[in-house]
Amino acid sequence: MNRTYTASSRTQLLLMLTPYLLGAAVLVGLPALLSLLLAFLRYDGISAPVWVGGFNFQLVLANPVDLLFPISLYNTLYFVILAVPVRVLSALALALLLSRSGRGVGLYRAAVYLPTIIPDVAYALIWMWIFNPLYGPLNLILDGLGLPTPGWLADAQYAKVVFVVMAAFQIGEGFVVLLAGLQNIPPEYYAAAAVDGGNVWQQFRYITLPLLAPWLLLLTLRDIILSSQNIFTANFIMTNGDPYYSTLFLPLLIYEEAFDRMHFGPGSAMTVLLGLVTAALIGLILSIVGSWGETDAS
Amino acid sequence: MQVNSKRRIFHAIAFHAVSILISALFILPLVWMASASLRQPGLPPPRTMEWWPEPLAWSNYNRIFEMLPLGRYIFNSLLVAGIAVPITLVTASLAGFAMTQLNRRGRESLLGLSVVLLVVPTVAVWVARFILFRTLGLFNSYAALLAPALMGSSPLFVLLFFWSFRRIPRELYDAARMDGAGPLEIWWRVALPLSGATVIVVGILTFLLYWGDFTTPLFYLKSQTLYTLPVGLRQLQELDRTNWPLLLAGAMVMTLPSVLLFGIVQRFFLPENRLAGIYGQ
């Protein structure tokens, strides 16, 4: 604590932090530990919990009756691998385009941010309408242009893509973060590059990109963790996993397992496995980025 | 010179043309929602793209309020958000302020903790939190919905306050301290009055968070009288899955307040020029 404060002031500071720290412990820390424990229990919320060792994991990973976990893990990875690069790169492109100041720029930025503030349920209904095979404006336009009109959400081949498109429009947070990052680059850097005769591409490659790299990495990692959970509401409202489980993403499966069927043990085991896969993905990306650093240094 | 100024004009036109096209693309979902919400229910599919439905069926908006107690749900949503916003403003700004007053080690460990909290997916705590809340008797009550407000609703809000308070010159804090003010008094008399923009931004972001929240009421509310608007929209969908004009009228009712509040907040939120807004260094 700050030395210039008196003892009573230090107590005050501690009190000011208490709601935040206590809330974090009770609402996040404790449940996270509890999930780990629950993954090894059989518990339905009524009878007493029973320790079952690794049985829940066995049930989830190698269930002879259904393969819902592997299917939904595949769907989730498919979504993350497509959606995250699209989201980060479009946020970057838009931030680069709209980082200048001038007339109208504020409005353009607001327009880009707008889809991000639409409440989840309303957002899901809007895209169900847009992708509706018969009534939806998208197929009417495609039809008008003489292009094929797929069944979208009704067609297992296209249904996942709808979720990627939806996610690609809600990129306001990444856009704002990169915009702030761009504005914090001192203009002298570009002035110096211009004196040295660097063209636009060279300025981007040697000034903008290296200075934005930490932000891009942060956004990518955050998106890997959060983008798949953020589609839960849309998933629940729009398809509920149909057709043929092609849009059964992991958060929906966890919800069904734990909240509908009260299988808290297997539900928690799935949660733990989702955490492990996410951690592996992040480890992979960090090791790739780390190796770039090494080759740069050598 | 002549060539140069021509080039500049061409660049400006190209920039605005591209930006307008992109803006239109991002506004399109809202435009389509608005136009579909005014379409006469029960019509056959249109043959070509229909931007402006004929006739305009404003009655769709009356119908949805007759089908479900949406007025009640709106009230409930406003109640939850109305309680959450002041609590969040107090808890998040207290924590953010205390972080600015700690020594380097304390500050950095709390920053680290906040970043970790920021990336913990809520899915990871869904099941265990549900069991915890049920054991505590918080099931089917707004306490379950409001619990996150006690920790500032989101670590991001704590960080926004921290950054905002840190930009205030240290001398102001020191002067207040010399006058014998404790941290609580400095927070209330110095830090908060100088951070109006952050208070507004966090207040509105918090409102949007609770106004749009679907999962928490889905998990915890069982009595229809307690339902908030997002759950009400889900109910509307279950009543008639294919009545698109009515569903999108409901979506409009849900979205309009968010758009209006965003209109207020966007000039603070989207940095117009260097050092402006809430991001300045």
Side-chain angles (χ1 to χ4, degrees), chain A residues 1-2 4-5 8-10 12-13 15-17 19-21 23-24 26-32 34-35 38 43-46 94 97-115 117-123 125-130 132 134-135 137-138 140-141 143 168-171 175-176 179-180 182-187 218 222 225-226 229 232-233 236-238 240 251-252 254-255 258-259 262 264 267-268 271 274, chain B residues 11-12 15-16 18-20 22-23 25-27 29-30 32-33 36 39 43-51 91 94-95 97-99 101-103 110 113-115 117-134 147-148 150-152 154-155 158 170 177 181-187 205 208 211-212 214-215 218-219 230-231 233-234 237 241 244 247-248 251 254-255 258-259 262 266 269-275 279-281:
Chain A
M1 302 271 164
N2 202 305
T4 46
Y5 273 127
S8 86
S9 294
R10 266 177 262 163
Q12 271 185 36
L13 279 181
L15 278 177
M16 295 167 96
L17 281 168
Y20 183 47
L21 295 179
V26 173
L27 294 172
V28 184
L30 184 63
L34 202 58
S35 296
L38 276 164
Y43 184 54
D44 57 7
I46 302 159
L94 290 168
L97 176 73
L98 297 174
S99 69
R100 62 164 81 182
S101 41
R103 191 177 296 188
V105 174
L107 280 179
Y108 302 146
R109 289 176 186 166
V112 167
Y113 203 92
L114 206 51
I117 58 134
I118 301 175
D120 292 343
V121 180
Y123 196 66
L125 291 173
I126 294 173
W127 287 99
M128 275 183 97
W129 164 251
I130 292 176
N132 184 291
L134 283 177
Y135 290 83
L138 182 67
L140 288 173
I141 288 177
D143 192 43
F169 274 81
Q170 282 191 321
I171 51 170
F175 169 67
V176 164
L179 214 50
L182 279 173
Q183 301 210 326
N184 283 333
I185 297 175
L218 186 78
R222 183 166 180 265
I225 299 170
L226 295 179
Q229 84 151 41
F232 169 75
T233 300
F236 183 82
I237 296 273
M238 294 170 73
N240 213 13
L252 183 63
I254 292 172
Y255 166 81
F259 293 76
M262 296 287 174
F264 293 127
S268 299
T271 308
L274 172 62
Chain B
H11 269 279
F15 165 74
H16 285 287
V18 170
S19 303
I20 288 171
I22 287 172
S23 304
L25 183 68
F26 277 82
I27 294 171
L30 280 141
W32 276 336
M33 164 172 61
R39 199 165 186 269
L43 291 181
R47 293 174 144 259
T48 55
M49 186 54 227
E50 186 186 76
W51 291 99
T91 51
L94 280 176
F97 179 75
M99 277 164 73
Q101 302 299 301
L102 294 178
N103 62 22
L110 279 174
L113 174 76
S114 302
V115 173
L117 288 174
L118 206 56
V119 294
V120 172
T122 51
V123 176
V125 294
W126 272 1
V127 181
R129 210 190 257 186
F130 181 77
I131 292 173
L132 196 69
F133 281 8
R134 233 177 47 152
L150 290 176
M151 60 171 290
S154 157
V158 174
R170 275 204 85 81
R177 206 153 49 197
L184 262 176
E185 208 182 336
I186 302 176
W187 165 75
L205 289 180
L208 294 177
W211 174 258
F214 174 66
T215 46
L218 174 75
F219 295 169
V231 192
L233 268 192
R234 164 69 177 165
Q237 190 197 19
R241 299 200 139 261
W244 292 106
L247 286 175
L248 290 161
M254 176 97 244
T255 307
S258 304
V259 172
F262 175 67
Q266 58 97 5
F269 195 53
L270 300 163
E272 182 74 29
N273 36 45
R274 209 166 269 277
L275 302 183
Y279 300 95
Q281 289 162 312

